[in-house]
Amino acid sequence: MTTKPKRPRGGMTAAEHEAWLKATGQYEAMVERKRKLEEERQKRVAEWRKAEQPLVDELRAAGFDVESAWDLFNRKEPWNKKERIRPYPEALPILFKHLQLPYPDPVREGIARALAEPEARSGWGILKRVFEADPSQSGSGAKFAVGLALANAADDSVLEDVIRLACDARHGESRAGLLFALCRSRQPRARAALLELREDPQLTQVVDQLLGRAKI
């Protein structure tokens, strides 16, 4: 009877790991799992792109040659020689409109990431309503990205909104992006809110990263 090779102790290089998988008959199964995972990923991406098409059509009609809202966020070149890379004011009304529609979460995240600009202050009420209406408590995804958009758009005139949302534990780790606005503000009540949120187990690490205990 053939005995399968034992897994070597300690770390293995990629080549050694592949050789071990082949020797133990696991390599083909691993390749098949990866193939299925990639196939499922591509299927999801195709579904998201199909769902996002109305947004893409409106952005293109406004002069933005994109295939996704993520292209606005990721773009490294200016839309024309007279503009900075960002912002893109003509796109903002379109993005605000579509942020309120029931797209899949990755599509909504791309829209919110594209709205993470100071100029998005014009749609503060929309951003706030979308954030509050989303039940997610995750530290990633669309709601977290909306929190980042709020933080980038915030100034001291809306500081009370930021503090209220950041201190509302119902929003979970999605509040983390809002802390950037509190850290940026010079208002004493913003610093007081950060000190209070430092005791929140969901946000302690983020607050510490922003301020550091030695600076308090």
Side-chain angles (χ1 to χ4, degrees):
M1 185 174 71
T2 303
T3 303
K4 288 184 177 181
K6 292 183 179 180
R7 184 183 181 94
R9 292 185 178 181
M12 289 188 287
T13 66
E16 289 170 340
H17 185 246
E18 182 176 317
W20 178 77
L21 289 171
K22 289 179 178 177
T24 56
Q26 300 179 67
Y27 183 75
E28 291 78 9
M30 181 198 70
V31 170
E32 179 61 15
R33 283 196 300 272
K34 286 187 174 181
R35 185 193 67 78
K36 287 183 177 180
L37 287 172
E38 178 60 19
E39 188 177 85
E40 291 171 2
R41 186 193 69 82
Q42 291 183 5
K43 182 180 179 181
R44 289 194 299 271
V45 170
E47 291 172 351
W48 299 335
R49 287 293 175 88
K50 182 178 179 180
E52 192 177 16
Q53 196 59 49
L55 167 61
V56 171
D57 289 344
E58 284 199 44
L59 287 171
R60 286 179 174 173
F64 297 94
D65 184 17
V66 297
E67 295 184 4
S68 169
W70 283 96
D71 292 341
L72 289 173
F73 173 68
N74 292 324
R75 188 174 177 89
K76 304 302 181 184
E77 298 296 331
W79 294 102
N80 62 59
K81 295 180 179 179
K82 295 181 180 180
E83 292 181 345
R84 293 182 290 128
I85 293 176
R86 297 157 75 188
Y88 19 78
E90 298 85 354
L92 294 181
I94 299 171
L95 294 171
F96 282 128
K97 170 187 171 182
H98 285 268
L99 182 65
Q100 301 174 80
L101 301 179
Y103 287 114
D105 196 76
V107 176
R108 295 179 60 243
E109 181 181 358
I111 297 170
R113 295 275 181 177
L115 283 168
E117 295 289 339
E119 288 75 12
R121 177 71 182 79
S122 61
W124 181 262
I126 293 173
L127 292 173
K128 187 173 65 170
R129 287 196 301 273
V130 170
F131 184 86
E132 292 179 304
D134 192 327
S136 173
Q137 296 187 346
S138 172
S140 61
K143 183 171 181 175
F144 175 79
V146 174
L148 289 175
L150 283 164
N152 277 274
D155 58 24
D156 286 341
S157 71
V158 292
L159 184 57
E160 294 307 321
D161 278 344
V162 175
I163 293 173
R164 178 178 60 80
L165 293 173
C167 292
D168 190 339
R170 293 176 299 175
H171 299 303
E173 295 179 8
S174 297
R175 298 171 288 162
L178 293 163
L179 302 182
F180 290 95
L182 296 180
C183 190
R184 191 172 67 243
S185 174
R186 300 296 183 185
Q187 295 296 317
R189 61 187 187 279
R191 178 56 60 91
L194 280 172
L195 290 173
E196 178 183 340
L197 290 168
R198 202 174 207 175
E199 305 305 317
D200 187 318
Q202 294 180 317
L203 300 176
T204 299
Q205 186 175 359
V206 181
V207 176
D208 283 345
Q209 289 173 347
L210 287 174
L211 299 179
R213 290 193 179 276
K215 296 181 181 181
I216 300 302

